[in-house]
Amino acid sequence: MEMEMVQAVKVYKALGEPTRLKIAVMLAKESNQCFTAIGERLKTVAGSTLSHHLKQLTDSGLINSSKSGSFVHYSVNQEVAEKFAPYLLA
């Protein structure tokens, strides 16, 4: 139970920032996006800032990352989203 509470706080903190919420919604609609594709769709976010946002979302467990060659692809973790942020999947 304690671990779930800790993860819930991390997820809600991550989603409490508007850009991270946009990223999570985007990935919920279209999974398996690479860093560049996410950056191009957000336009107003610098690369270093985007990297920070993706790290926060990944650390919370809400998104997964997988390396494919020199690219990293991001997707919403369905299990975590269902538990803590079901509106992302609606």
Side-chain angles (χ1 to χ4, degrees):
M1 185 66 179
E2 182 68 28
M3 290 301 288
E4 271 192 15
M5 247 200 264
V6 169
Q7 187 172 23
V9 168
K10 285 182 178 182
V11 168
Y12 298 138
K13 274 187 176 179
L15 292 176
E17 202 285 328
T19 302
R20 288 195 288 266
L21 178 58
K22 277 187 206 172
I23 293 167
V25 168
M26 180 191 320
L27 290 173
K29 287 182 168 74
E30 284 184 60
S31 65
N32 208 29
Q33 296 289 311
C34 70
F35 181 91
T36 308
I38 295 168
E40 285 173 357
R41 292 177 72 190
L42 291 175
K43 291 183 180 108
T44 59
V45 179
S48 60
T49 305
L50 177 57
S51 185
H52 171 75
H53 288 318
L54 289 168
K55 180 171 177 13
Q56 294 290 314
L57 288 164
T58 304
D59 288 350
S60 76
L62 186 60
I63 65 170
N64 296 320
S65 62
S66 59
K67 196 165 169 84
S68 174
S70 60
F71 293 98
V72 178
H73 290 85
Y74 297 91
S75 299
V76 167
N77 179 329
Q78 296 290 316
E79 189 178 316
V80 174
E82 284 173 13
K83 188 180 273 185
F84 300 114
Y87 63 90
L88 288 176
L89 306 174

